[in-house]
Amino acid sequence: MPADLQMSPAPVPAAEARNVLVIGAGLVGLCSALWLQRLGHRVTIADRDPPLPGSSYRHACSYGNACTVASYAVIPVATPGIAWRVPGMLADPAGPLAIMWRYMPALAPWLRAFIASSTAQEVERIATILQGLLANAEAAYAPLHKDAGTEALIRREGALYLYKSDAEFNADQERFALYARHGIRFDMLDKSAIHDLEPNLAPIYHRGILFRDGHHFNSPKAVAMAFAAHFQARGGEFLSGEVLALNPTATGLRAELGHAAHEYDRAVVAGGAWSKDLARKVGDDILLDTERGYHVLYPDAGHLLNRPVCFAEQGFYMVPMADGLRAAGTVELGGLKLPMRKARTDAIRTSVARFVPQAGHGTDEWMGFRPSMPDSLPVIGRSPSEPRVIYAFGHGHIGLTLAGVTGRLIADLVCDRQPFIDLNPLRPVRFSPWGRPLASR
């Protein structure tokens, strides 16, 4: 456990306990609420469909993700040469990336910042920041799992990335070097070693790497439900509904839910992809956008794999879960309003039939909204416009991974304590509305 993260911080004196609203009941919001409770604050969570008995919870990324606590995920999505690779990805109907072209005008500033974040110098900077967060990810989750009794939902078998050819494997040598520079532990595997680990995979791979420290939840929904139940058992309350505005008052903030208004000392915005509009109402224009992610569930195939398996070229995960094999992945840039596209789940089905021929029939399809910043760094910090509002969103592909450590940082901010890492690189407004990087102030 890193020495810089205090896992048993002192609670605040009773006179300093605050009444805090957490907006969003995904794992980031739940972990923030649980850490705030541990430090002695009174906490309410607002969500349109919180993970309580009877809830489907399907609106949440925390329901439909690839289930993996990816402590190795130091490399951002934008890397050198990405601008030249995108056309080829888009030309492949089963490829890892799709763009809904009618959304392109709205997406243009985000793409401009995404390309600006892909230089070698930026990638090294971003990887260093992510390393600082990821090194504390498991330690920050550990007390929450212990409190909620969710340790049995964690499977510690590592995570396997596969390559179909020597050329594909060799093309990732710089990635391997970057992993090594940032202390990520992994083993390089040949075809025989991969077969020993995953004998039910079709032998269409050539090489692989095993991230030893990766692990996964066999049911992210069950983790969220247990966290929510523990939150309630400690006196936490849920509000079902959408927070439409946060208005400052003389003593705090008034949260407007349409049917009612409630007063709080502080508010934590952890609404994932829906956070951008609320932040704009607070007064902050944050360059957040949405990657639409998909999954297909194969209920009779959960026993066929032992760990998360990713085919690196396609960014495509297959994960064994309590309710089957979840095949998840692809990125579709298209915002929050356009409908689900069957072409994306068809591509997943085609890949599963190729990689795990025994998987059978996929019965459930899902699409969710991945809240993503152009530089692959989350937004964690105070609103520049209203410091009683604190932001916790934009985690992209590693929201499940970083939920615990984000909650720990949010608790420090609410307590007016110095966070254990420098949050300046994660400040909310670090790009202009046109996609240009802004110097810190």
Side-chain angles (χ1 to χ4, degrees):
M1 181 184 301
D4 52 1
L5 182 55
Q6 295 294 321
M7 289 286 68
S8 299
V12 298
E16 296 177 18
R18 287 170 171 154
N19 190 18
V20 184
L21 174 67
V22 174
I23 300 168
L27 282 169
V28 171
L30 290 167
C31 290
S32 298
L34 290 172
W35 269 111
L36 287 164
Q37 281 186 327
R38 287 174 66 85
L39 268 67
H41 299 290
R42 301 177 297 276
V43 189
T44 301
I45 299 176
D47 193 276
R48 57 179 163 155
D49 185 20
L52 300 174
S55 167
S56 73
Y57 199 50
R58 287 179 67 93
H59 72 292
C61 278
S62 295
Y63 169 88
N65 53 47
C67 314
T68 306
V69 179
S71 55
Y72 48 84
V74 295
I75 301 179
V77 177
T79 53
I82 188 72
W84 304 109
R85 298 195 300 273
V86 165
M89 294 185 212
L90 295 176
D92 180 359
L97 175 66
I99 294 178
M100 302 186 79
W101 295 108
R102 58 188 138 161
Y103 189 66
M104 183 61 84
L107 187 64
W110 190 94
L111 285 174
R112 185 179 297 118
F114 179 79
I115 298 301
S117 300
S118 69
T119 66
Q121 182 178 2
E122 271 297 279
V123 167
E124 196 69 42
R125 181 187 72 87
I126 292 165
T128 300
I129 297 162
L130 288 174
Q131 179 189 9
L133 290 166
L134 292 164
N136 291 288
E138 187 168 359
Y141 255 132
L144 308 186
H145 285 305
K146 183 177 180 180
D147 289 347
T150 48
E151 294 103 327
L153 299 174
I154 302 170
R155 294 184 61 178
R156 299 184 182 277
E157 302 291 342
L160 182 62
Y161 276 49
L162 299 181
Y163 297 85
K164 292 179 289 185
S165 68
D166 258 339
E168 190 182 306
F169 181 78
N170 291 335
D172 261 3
Q173 292 302 310
E174 177 50 38
R175 294 179 70 89
F176 304 154
L178 194 151
Y179 286 136
R181 287 197 301 275
H182 290 276
I184 304 303
R185 301 194 306 159
F186 61 94
D187 299 322
M188 291 190 174
L189 308 178
D190 61 15
K191 194 167 188 174
S192 175
I194 295 166
H195 179 267
D196 290 344
L197 290 175
E198 298 294 351
N200 293 310
L201 281 174
I204 57 176
Y205 46 79
H206 180 72
R207 296 289 299 274
I209 58 174
L210 177 68
F211 293 105
R212 286 175 272 167
D213 296 327
H215 58 278
H216 70 283
F217 298 162
N218 71 6
S219 174
K221 179 183 177 181
V223 172
M225 298 281 283
F227 280 7
H230 181 66
F231 169 74
Q232 286 185 310
R234 294 190 62 166
E237 297 182 358
F238 281 99
L239 290 176
S240 294
E242 180 181 358
V243 176
L244 302 175
L246 290 169
N247 296 317
T249 68
T251 57
L253 298 161
R254 178 181 294 111
E256 307 286 349
L257 275 83
H259 59 281
H262 302 268
E263 298 268 350
Y264 299 94
D265 300 317
R266 299 287 186 274
V268 177
V269 179
W274 290 271
S275 300
K276 181 174 183 175
D277 287 344
L278 186 55
R280 183 178 290 121
K281 293 175 183 177
V282 173
D284 302 315
D285 200 340
I286 299 174
L287 198 62
L288 180 80
D289 219 295
T290 303
E291 298 179 43
R292 296 145 55 94
Y294 291 80
H295 85 225
V296 180
L297 179 70
Y298 292 77
D300 300 322
H303 64 288
L304 294 176
L305 296 180
N306 299 307
R307 58 186 52 78
V309 174
C310 174
F311 279 84
E313 185 179 28
Q314 287 150 306
F316 166 75
Y317 271 80
M318 295 178 293
V319 186
M321 299 176 57
D323 55 355
L325 183 72
R326 177 176 289 181
T330 80
V331 168
E332 182 177 65
L333 301 171
L336 290 166
K337 297 180 180 178
L338 297 176
M340 180 177 180
R341 288 205 307 152
K342 194 171 186 302
R344 293 279 87 196
T345 52
D346 285 348
I348 291 175
R349 290 176 183 276
T350 299
S351 295
V352 171
R354 184 182 179 200
F355 299 141
V356 187
Q358 315 97 300
H361 181 61
T363 59
D364 181 57
E365 297 184 348
W366 175 90
M367 181 189 75
F369 302 104
R370 199 182 281 124
S372 296
M373 293 293 288
D375 56 4
S376 297
L377 294 173
V379 171
I380 304 174
R382 299 184 192 279
S383 158
S385 302
E386 172 48 77
R388 292 171 293 189
V389 175
I390 299 169
Y391 295 132
F393 55 80
H395 294 72
H397 295 252
I398 50 176
L400 181 148
T401 301
L402 294 181
V405 72
T406 298
R408 179 68 178 78
L409 288 163
I410 292 302
D412 281 339
L413 290 173
V414 170
C415 294
D416 295 324
R417 294 174 178 172
Q418 182 67 35
F420 68 93
I421 65 168
D422 178 14
L423 294 183
N424 183 60
L426 313 180
R427 64 192 183 279
V429 182
R430 54 185 187 261
F431 298 98
S432 77
W434 303 275
R436 302 189 186 282
L438 296 174
S440 61
R441 292 178 290 186

